[in-house]
């Protein structure tokens, strides 16, 4: 593994979109940002783009940290890390989702800096491995739902693709129960308390105050993740105790042309 300082980000200014153009050729295990003069919540709309196409999207740095914390990847204050290599996987699988860029034209990270940021400064470094072509990696997609009435909700427009679903992170503090149905067959159901108990036993750190997690790979084996190839109908039914916005971050294991 190599640790390299990355080029300076452009447009690190309040009210602008900061951009990091990453050198290509090697394999990215992680990219770590150090920031000051701006809060986590003020680093918004974090995106990873390969050849100009978004392959990972997060609402803000708070969301990035919550997902990292769930998997046991803690950042220090003033840091935000985008993980491609997955340390929570079984030892022989951890490097598998690394972001190979040997056949990639561009790799770019973008983030909006809220206009209220006082004096933003952001720099970046990368953990790198020898170069490899872009293969299967972890992509994120999100859905947003306005919960207009408390009770069971229906998410039935979930992107499927041909890969696997690793997890769905439901960002609303009071999701009390979740059902998952594939091709009219219920494959997972449980209360928030039950799922969090099982996740804790498996070494996860549920972010109770922020989200409810649906994890299809609790024991670190990519082979456990939910197979989506051939799936015709896929639904997640969360029960929300109050109204408000529900944002669902979906983590897929897929290729560049996938979901």
């Amino acid at each position: 593994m190599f640790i390299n300082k990355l080029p300076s980000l452009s447009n690190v200014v309040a009210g602008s979109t900061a951009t990091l153009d990453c050198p290509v050729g090697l394999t990215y295990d992680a990219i770590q940002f150090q920031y000051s003069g701006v809060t986590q919540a003020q680093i918004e709309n974090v995106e990873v783009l390969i050849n100009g196409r978004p392959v990972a999207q997060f609402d803000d740095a708070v969301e990035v940290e919550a997902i990292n914390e769930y998997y046991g990847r803690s950042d220090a204050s003033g840091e935000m890390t985008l993980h491609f290599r997955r340390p929570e996987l079984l030892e022989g699988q951890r490097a598998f989702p690394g972001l190979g860029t040997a056949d990639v034209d561009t790799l770019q990270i973008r983030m909006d800096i809220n206009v209220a940021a006082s004096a933003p400064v952001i720099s970046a470094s990368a953990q790198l491995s020898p170069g490899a072509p872009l293969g299967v990696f972890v992509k994120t997609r999100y859905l947003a739902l306005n919960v207009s009435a408390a009770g069971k909700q229906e998410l039935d427009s979930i992107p499927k693709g041909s890969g696997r679903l690793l997890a769905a992170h439901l960002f609303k503090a009071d999701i009390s129960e979740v059902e998952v149905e594939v091709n009219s067959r219920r494959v997972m159901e449980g209360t928030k308390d039950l799922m969090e108990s099982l996740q804790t036993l498996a070494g996860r750190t549920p972010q109770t105050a922020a989200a409810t997690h649906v994890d299809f790979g609790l024991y670190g084996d990519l082979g456990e993740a939910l197979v989506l190839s051939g799936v015709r109908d896929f639904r997640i039914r969360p029960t929300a105790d109050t109204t408000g916005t529900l944002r669902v971050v979906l983590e897929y294991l897929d290729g560049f042309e996938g979901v």
Side-chain angles (χ1 to χ4, degrees):
M1 181 184 75
F2 320 114
I3 299 176
N4 285 3
K5 184 177 179 180
L6 293 176
S8 298
L9 284 76
S10 62
N11 296 322
V12 183
V13 179
S16 296
T17 299
T19 302
L20 171 65
D21 291 307
C22 302
V24 297
L26 296 175
T27 296
Y28 283 78
D29 295 329
I31 297 176
Q32 186 179 74
F33 296 87
Q34 295 80 36
Y35 60 87
S36 62
V38 58
T39 68
Q40 273 189 334
Q42 291 170 342
I43 299 175
E44 304 169 335
N45 303 319
V46 180
E47 287 190 317
V48 180
L49 301 97
I50 296 175
N51 295 346
R53 179 189 298 182
V55 296
Q57 300 164 297
F58 303 95
D59 193 44
D60 53 26
V62 177
E63 190 170 272
V64 174
E65 182 186 47
I67 293 173
N68 281 343
E69 290 282 352
Y70 172 72
Y71 288 113
R73 320 184 210 120
S74 297
D75 277 323
S77 177
E79 295 180 353
M80 177 184 74
T81 304
L82 299 175
H83 289 270
F84 306 108
R85 178 187 176 101
R86 305 288 291 232
E88 71 275 5
L89 294 176
L90 297 176
E91 187 172 352
Q93 299 183 16
R94 291 172 187 165
F96 180 72
L99 203 63
T101 64
D103 56 350
V104 164
D105 293 325
T106 61
L107 171 62
Q108 194 174 68
I109 316 294
R110 294 180 187 167
M111 59 193 76
D112 294 337
I113 302 176
N114 190 282
V115 68
S118 59
V121 176
I122 305 175
S123 61
S125 59
Q127 297 173 25
L128 299 158
S129 297
L134 179 65
V136 173
F137 59 99
V138 177
K139 306 174 81 169
T140 70
R141 293 288 182 262
Y142 70 89
L143 300 171
L145 174 70
N146 178 35
V147 178
S148 58
K152 187 176 291 187
Q153 313 298 312
E154 182 98 1
L155 296 168
D156 58 1
S157 58
I158 303 166
K160 293 183 282 294
S162 59
R164 293 173 179 259
L165 183 66
L166 298 174
H169 306 277
L170 284 64
F171 281 91
K172 191 174 188 301
D174 62 352
I175 298 298
S176 56
E177 191 169 354
V178 182
E179 299 174 4
V180 179
E181 188 177 278
V182 175
N183 291 342
S184 302
R185 182 171 66 91
R186 197 167 295 171
V187 298
M188 184 179 289
E189 61 180 325
T191 64
K192 180 183 179 85
D193 288 345
L194 173 62
M195 290 190 295
E196 290 186 347
S197 176
L198 295 173
Q199 290 158 4
T200 300
L201 285 172
R204 303 286 199 248
T205 306
Q207 301 298 291
T208 305
T212 296
H213 311 274
V214 180
D215 193 334
F216 294 101
L218 270 184
Y219 297 102
D221 185 353
L222 291 173
E224 296 177 333
L226 182 65
V227 176
L228 296 174
S229 179
V231 169
R232 301 180 306 278
D233 187 70
F234 179 34
R235 299 168 187 265
I236 299 177
R237 298 190 182 98
T239 297
D241 292 343
T242 64
T243 60
T245 300
L246 167 63
R247 179 180 165 89
V248 182
V249 178
L250 302 142
E251 294 186 286
Y252 296 89
L253 187 70
D254 209 341
F256 181 65
E257 297 298 336
V259 65

